[in-house]
Amino acid sequence: MLSEIALYGAFETGLIYGIVAFGVYLSFRVLHFPDLTVDGSFPLGAAVAAVMIIDGFNPWLATGMALVAGMGAGAVTALLNVRLHILNLLASILTMIALYSVNLRIMGRPNIALLSEETVLTPWYELDLAFHQVPVALFLLVSLVGLVMLWRFMQSETGLAMRATGANPRMARSQGIATGWMIVLGIALSNGLVALAGALFAQSQGAADVTMGVGVIVIGLASLIGGEAVLTPRNVFRALLACLVGAILYRLAIALALNADFVGLKTQDLNLITAVLVTLAIVLPNARHSVKSFFSRS
Amino acid sequence: MISADNLQLTFGKGTPLENPALRGLSLKVDPGEFVTVIGSNGAGKSTLLNALSGEVMVDSGQIIVDDKDVTKLPTHRRADRVARVFQDPLAGTCEDLTIEENMSLAIKRGMRRGLGSGVKNRYRKRFRDALAELNLGLENRLGDRMGLLSGGQRQAVSLLMASLNPSSILLLDEHTAALDPRTARFVLNLTCNIVERHRKTALMVTHSMKQALDVGSRTVMLHQGQVVFDISGEEREGLEVPDLLSLFEKQRGLEVTDDSLLLG
């Protein structure tokens, strides 16, 4: 039903979107900050990495700078909210819109091809792996390192303070936590991760495009919510794992839907499928509950 | 030590809903004093606590805690000196965090937080010992989510959290009001023990005049944003609720019913 290449492809993009989902988890779940900057910081990461790679910089340095640029974008959103008291959702939309121009400025044109350039993937093709397995191996490594580092961070003194800021800001303040700065740090970190994912995505797809960010926030949310439905996270580790699992499941579902000819879906139906999947992921856990209570009543 | 001098605070200034909450309130509390605060609705009790903790900024006047002028400091920059327990038992803790994570947040109150482990092994023994004294069996549930605890248990843990590291003043905002009578008594006893053992300077707002007289060493009554009377020592010994009421009437030349104060 699904070719081997399509299967690995689903894992490859799934792992990248898993990193996006880490970022979305930080903003939506930990800080309760609905942050749409993501749609702009994903292509921002791609743009920064692509331009630096074209200019001959080391691809890992380019990817690192993409992360830093993403953190800057996140910090702008958070400061608009914390310092200028603009509603969080609106603040993130403002940054997202602004980033569209910024990304065009960085790239100088709507898209940059990376096909013949040296990327973070290039040295990995020397390994004794099939061509389509290489990105999966590398991105698995990157996302697992990200997972462990985030998990450790969430257990640290600052991580605890950040979780308290999202869960109970009044209590956090009375414990001496500067909640405003915690939001700036958290949203910066979140968008840094998303930009990192954007940089990896551009290198694996062989191009950076200014429109590649459209709908990334929905994909991140789909992965987050889907993963939560499957894993019911009780602690931070499981929640982060759910991000990865959710993102891979999401990509597998998309690949299946597109590959199954009898369903008759085409690539242009992707966003519709995504919206349907997110809706199902939100509704189904509750539906299961109501079905159970329906039977226990009778 | 708390010194509040001539505090003025008006909510909604310049609007039709203008509401003066504090009108030149002054109060001096010596180190180790346990003051109970009473007053009817809108007397300014909660506003006073919010002003002392930094949740609201006063329009004018000066607040000194332990020789430091904190008038202009936001809440988180006063937290090293001010510990607080809220009326809502759910407000003082994070329900998504475990008991030990909540307590670890409190042990670093007002200090720098770095990237070191948040819950340290050496904390755990302290937490367990402190929780064991509550006799609620919580000492074996350090890793449980706070949300699994009852309101009374959460309020007891909030109190412990307020006493984990030295703060000079403890603010209690009707912290037993939302609990059932038995749990309220338990939390009140715990409060007295903690204040006594750690020699805290404490300010407790209460809606019960009886509680105000039974607990602490001094009682202050607020009315319309000012201190109307302030009794301590021998004068306070043997005082009953009706005496308190007549004292209030004498001070203000007003007729007040027990109800309006009790419910306030």
Side-chain angles (χ1 to χ4, degrees):
Chain A
M1 201 164 165
L2 205 58
S3 74
E4 198 189 336
I5 292 191
L7 184 71
Y8 277 101
F11 271 93
E12 177 185 336
T13 25
L15 287 165
I16 292 177
Y17 285 137
I19 299 174
V20 174
F22 289 161
V24 174
Y25 167 74
L26 258 181
S27 54
F28 275 72
R29 287 291 183 263
V30 174
L31 285 168
H32 299 282
F33 188 119
D35 178 26
L36 307 189
T37 317
V38 173
D39 273 20
S41 47
F42 189 78
L44 172 69
V48 169
V51 166
M52 284 184 71
I53 286 172
I54 293 281
D55 282 351
F57 285 97
N58 176 298
W60 280 111
L61 178 70
T63 308
M65 284 309 293
L67 189 142
V68 173
M71 290 187 76
V76 169
T77 296
L79 286 170
L80 286 176
N81 170 243
V82 173
R83 288 281 135 160
L84 303 182
H85 307 288
I86 298 172
L87 181 71
N88 46 21
L89 189 69
L90 184 60
S92 75
I93 291 174
L94 290 174
T95 315
M96 180 187 82
I97 289 295
L99 279 174
Y100 190 82
S101 299
V102 173
N103 294 340
L104 274 171
R105 274 281 181 185
I106 291 173
M107 298 207 289
R109 53 183 188 269
N111 51 56
I112 294 178
L114 291 171
L115 285 174
S116 55
E117 303 294 329
E118 188 186 329
T119 68
V120 289
L121 288 159
T122 312
W124 285 65
Y125 285 113
E126 314 277 311
L127 295 178
D128 189 20
L129 283 171
F131 183 77
H132 51 269
Q133 290 171 334
V134 168
V136 178
L138 176 62
F139 297 156
L140 185 67
L141 185 73
V142 173
S143 56
L144 286 181
V145 167
L147 185 149
V148 170
M149 283 176 70
L150 259 183
W151 176 53
R152 297 297 303 167
F153 172 70
M154 288 308 202
Q155 311 290 322
S156 73
E157 289 170 356
T158 307
L160 276 185
M162 191 179 284
R163 286 156 69 196
T165 297
N168 188 346
R170 193 167 173 226
M171 177 267 197
R173 280 195 299 275
S174 78
Q175 298 298 345
I177 295 164
T179 48
W181 286 113
M182 277 298 150
I183 292 171
V184 173
L185 179 64
I187 299 301
L189 209 55
S190 159
N191 283 284
L193 285 164
V194 173
L196 168 70
L200 294 178
F201 192 77
Q203 292 173 68
S204 88
Q205 304 296 310
D209 191 293
V210 74
T211 61
M212 68 195 273
V214 177
V216 168
I217 181 62
V218 183
I219 298 173
L221 268 178
S223 309
L224 178 69
I225 296 168
E228 283 171 348
V230 176
L231 277 183
T232 50
R234 280 178 218 96
N235 54 42
V236 177
F237 185 79
R238 275 180 76 126
L240 290 171
L241 197 63
C243 290
L244 276 188
V245 171
I248 292 169
L249 286 178
Y250 163 76
R251 286 311 303 186
L252 282 175
I254 296 283
L256 273 175
L258 293 179
N259 272 273
D261 290 333
F262 62 89
V263 188
L265 287 169
K266 291 208 160 63
T267 325
Q268 56 264 44
D269 302 324
L270 201 68
N271 286 356
L272 178 64
I273 302 171
T274 303
V276 171
L277 280 177
V278 174
T279 311
L280 285 179
I282 296 173
V283 173
L284 277 184
N286 300 327
R288 195 173 51 190
H289 187 74
S290 62
V291 167
K292 226 185 272 172
S293 63
F294 176 79
F295 281 113
S296 63
R297 231 182 294 144
S298 63
Chain B
M1 194 275 287
I2 309 170
S3 164
D5 187 39
N6 196 20
L7 303 184
Q8 302 269 3
L9 173 61
T10 305
F11 289 118
K13 221 175 200 162
T15 70
L17 297 171
E18 187 171 289
N19 171 27
L22 301 177
R23 310 184 196 193
L25 187 148
S26 296
L27 181 68
K28 214 168 145 40
V29 184
D30 290 328
E33 249 186 330
F34 186 175
V35 182
T36 55
V37 181
I38 48 174
S40 52
N41 259 342
K45 303 170 306 223
S46 291
T47 309
L48 172 63
L49 286 208
N50 282 333
L52 291 176
S53 70
E55 285 289 299
V56 297
M57 292 287 154
V58 290
D59 297 334
S60 66
Q62 191 185 39
I63 301 168
I64 295 172
V65 178
D66 269 359
D67 304 322
K68 186 174 178 192
D69 187 342
V70 298
T71 317
K72 299 265 186 276
L73 296 183
T75 308
H76 67 269
R77 292 188 54 201
R78 299 183 193 188
D80 56 335
R81 299 155 190 269
V82 181
R84 188 167 188 197
V85 181
F86 300 102
Q87 175 174 5
D88 178 359
L90 311 183
T93 47
C94 289
E95 62 177 21
D96 288 334
L97 271 56
T98 61
I99 297 180
E100 61 182 9
E101 284 172 338
N102 270 288
M103 294 180 85
S104 299
L105 276 170
I107 213 166
K108 295 287 282 186
R109 176 163 39 75
M111 294 184 219
R112 281 191 76 85
R113 291 166 208 266
L115 291 174
S117 178
V119 184
K120 293 187 175 58
N121 269 327
R122 63 187 149 92
Y123 294 165
R124 289 207 174 91
K125 190 181 154 20
R126 250 188 93 186
F127 295 165
R128 226 173 264 130
D129 291 347
L131 288 168
E133 285 183 36
L134 299 178
N135 283 322
L136 295 170
L138 295 178
E139 61 275 19
N140 302 318
R141 298 174 60 187
L142 284 182
D144 276 9
R145 276 183 52 238
M146 205 70 194
L148 298 172
L149 273 56
S150 70
Q153 289 173 328
R154 284 180 75 166
Q155 202 65 320
V157 175
S158 300
L159 261 172
L160 282 188
M161 282 164 58
S163 67
L164 275 176
N165 72 11
S167 66
S168 41
I169 66 171
L170 175 61
L171 304 177
L172 307 157
D173 189 1
E174 298 195 41
H175 68 305
T176 62
L179 306 172
D180 65 77
R182 231 189 82 207
T183 317
R185 221 164 21 243
F186 168 75
V187 170
L188 192 64
N189 282 337
L190 180 69
T191 309
C192 295
N193 285 341
I194 284 174
V195 171
E196 209 166 296
R197 186 178 334 154
H198 300 274
R199 290 178 215 280
K200 294 263 187 212
T201 308
L203 214 58
M204 179 174 89
V205 168
T206 171
H207 61 290
S208 151
M209 302 184 87
K210 189 173 174 335
Q211 200 181 66
L213 289 174
D214 288 348
V215 174
S217 55
R218 180 176 160 194
T219 298
V220 167
M221 182 184 267
L222 302 187
H223 186 67
Q224 295 182 339
Q226 286 181 331
V227 175
V228 283
F229 70 72
D230 182 346
I231 44 168
S232 57
E234 278 176 28
E235 197 190 355
R236 188 169 174 269
E237 294 285 316
L239 212 63
E240 298 289 339
V241 174
D243 305 327
L244 211 56
L245 282 170
S246 58
L247 214 96
F248 180 68
E249 279 162 26
K250 204 163 66 194
Q251 286 280 343
R252 283 275 125 176
L254 284 169
E255 188 75 27
V256 263
T257 65
D258 194 7
D259 276 4
S260 77
L261 283 167
L262 282 171
L263 297 173

